[in-house]
Amino acid sequence: MYEEKYNEAVLPNGIRLIHKQKAGEIAHLVLMVETGSRDELEHQNGMAHFIEHTIFKGTQNRKAYHILSCLDNVGGDLNAFTTKEETCLQASFLKQHYRRAMDLFSDLAFRATFPENELTKEKEVILDEINSYLDAPSEEIYDVFEEMMFKGHPLSRNILGTCDLVKGFTPNDVREFMAQNYDTSNIIVATIGDISFHEFEKLAMAYFGEHPSHSPNHVRQPFVNYQPQEQTAERRNHLSHCMIGGIAPHFNSPQKMPIVLLNNILGGPAMSSRLNLNIREKYGFAYTIESQYNAYSDTGLISVYMGVDPDSLEKAIALVYKELDKLCTQSLGTLQLNHAKQQIIGQLALSYESGMNELLSITRSVLLDEPLEYMPEIIRKVEAVSANDILDIANQVFDRNKLSCLIFKGTE
């Protein structure tokens, strides 16, 4: 058995490394950059996501086909995603293909060429993605809600951007954005797999160590001056869609664990969440009802989403507020608190059974300057949360005077 241990190092050019040796045939590799849609200027909205797509379209060493087939040909999986604060490449593969995977990641990160003809083709794919999401109000409402909550701030912008802006992006625009925001100091290369730390560090030095560092000139604008909002828009849909929420603690806040528990109790993934039991199961008002806590580097957002029949909308909204009020006024009993803790511990343990989920979680933690924690430490933090901690954070985030509400009212 290998010791449960995370190893960290920094290459001379500033790239950070994270490593965990784990027995098994499958290895996971992540390259995460601390650059997302909140780092775009207004005319660049959608650029981080555009780069995530087009980085696969050619490098100095590979054409698009060779990039896509590099790991595919040996049964591996290659993917990428963009958030408001990160861009990430991720791969899973048989452990004997580490060198192949790290060579590919290095090529993509530092030698992508963004050929204009390939960018033109990929724009059509992204435009279809934007239009597809606009056809799904249950997805669109999340982005419109964040636009409302973070109004006037870069966090308000949609990750995908707009059709008009995406159509106008050029290879020079891509290179300008990368020069402003990408640097070896905000890149992490991380792995979980059956490889020693010494061997991983040696490969990382070979494939990532030669790239020079430079200082990006973009500084993130902190979010301040939240103002609660209420908005209603009509949509030609059978269902009405509603979101209710407020500003919450940031990623590194000491209140993060209490609000994670609070969110799980309210409307987390378990079928026994209060929203699911008291609105969906008891009254049958909502096919989908859930709550979500999104933590960013300097702020956070907690929200409730539901899709309901228009005739039941007002009753469902009243019931949601009733559940929020209960969490602000009624402290959890000993058994309720213990159940909530055991539930979140089990969910976290199941999530970490996936090496990729664990890897993405620890990489983002390091990117946002949070110390690496092992599962026993996380469990101790969960166990330390008191009923008063949950009551306090509920009163902070569910104060009626600080909540916003967005409704997409169905008209069919």
Side-chain angles (χ1 to χ4, degrees), residues 13-303:
N13 60 7
I15 292 177
R16 285 169 285 176
L17 306 178
I18 307 171
H19 163 273
K20 177 182 175 182
Q21 188 163 6
K22 183 178 181 180
E25 294 301 310
I26 304 301
H28 306 284
L29 184 69
V30 158
L31 186 150
M32 191 174 287
V33 187
E34 193 177 8
T35 297
S37 59
R38 75 172 295 176
D39 301 301
E40 300 160 351
L41 301 177
E42 193 168 353
H43 70 279
Q44 297 171 326
N45 186 207
M47 180 61 75
H49 175 258
F50 186 70
I51 290 170
E52 176 224 310
H53 272 247
T54 55
I55 203 169
F56 295 100
K57 297 305 173 182
T59 70
Q60 294 170 16
N61 300 322
R62 292 175 171 90
K63 293 187 181 296
Y65 168 78
H66 299 109
I67 291 169
L68 298 177
S69 62
C70 181
L71 291 176
D72 197 54
N73 284 351
V74 292
D77 179 65
L78 175 66
N79 214 331
F81 64 85
T82 307
T83 72
K84 297 207 168 185
E85 297 195 314
E86 302 97 27
T87 305
C88 183
L89 300 176
Q90 61 183 79
S92 300
F93 46 89
L94 291 172
K95 63 183 180 182
Q96 60 262 38
H97 299 304
Y98 257 108
R99 187 175 293 274
R100 177 186 288 248
M102 294 180 76
D103 179 36
L104 176 63
F105 272 29
S106 175
D107 210 22
L108 292 171
F110 297 105
R111 288 180 288 272
T113 53
F114 304 103
E116 190 159 9
N117 63 321
E118 293 289 344
L119 266 60
T120 300
K121 288 190 289 185
E122 196 62 22
K123 284 177 184 180
E124 294 303 317
V125 174
I126 296 172
L127 296 180
D128 285 345
E129 185 178 357
I130 293 172
N131 289 323
S132 174
Y133 129 90
L134 291 173
D135 283 341
S138 60
E139 296 180 19
E140 181 194 8
I141 195 169
Y142 279 89
D143 288 317
V144 177
F145 189 70
E146 290 210 350
E147 287 173 18
M148 186 177 79
M149 295 293 291
F150 299 121
K151 186 176 181 180
H153 187 273
L155 276 171
S156 70
R157 297 185 194 134
N158 189 310
I159 293 169
L160 302 181
T162 67
C163 290
D164 287 342
L165 286 174
V166 169
K167 287 177 184 176
F169 290 158
T170 68
N172 283 339
D173 293 334
V174 170
R175 295 184 188 100
E176 180 184 0
F177 179 78
M178 294 185 77
Q180 290 169 341
N181 294 282
Y182 286 61
D183 180 55
T184 50
S185 65
N186 64 11
I187 292 175
I188 293 178
V189 179
T191 193
I192 289 178
D194 197 355
I195 186 174
S196 71
F197 181 51
H198 172 74
E199 182 64 21
F200 176 66
E201 193 173 15
K202 189 168 69 172
L203 286 173
M205 188 65 196
Y207 288 110
F208 297 97
E210 65 182 31
H211 303 287
S213 174
H214 79 281
S215 298
N217 56 20
H218 178 73
V219 178
R220 279 183 177 167
Q221 174 187 340
F223 174 72
V224 292
N225 300 326
Y226 163 69
Q227 296 294 325
Q229 305 281 327
E230 290 191 7
Q231 294 182 18
T232 300
E234 290 192 349
R235 290 289 191 277
R236 291 183 59 82
N237 294 291
H238 173 70
L239 288 180
S240 288
H241 302 269
C242 176
M243 289 196 73
I244 298 166
I247 296 299
H250 60 82
F251 187 84
N252 287 331
S253 169
Q255 293 179 301
K256 188 172 77 169
M257 193 55 74
I259 199 170
V260 166
L261 273 164
L262 173 69
N263 175 68
N264 212 54
I265 293 164
L266 175 63
M271 297 296 287
S272 59
S273 73
R274 292 190 177 188
L275 291 177
N276 193 67
L277 287 178
N278 296 332
I279 296 175
R280 187 185 192 276
E281 295 298 324
K282 187 174 182 179
Y283 294 97
F285 283 158
Y287 173 70
T288 301
I289 186 162
E290 60 190 14
S291 64
Q292 189 173 25
Y293 167 54
N294 292 328
Y296 299 112
S297 56
D298 58 341
T299 188
L301 179 65
I302 189 165
S303 59

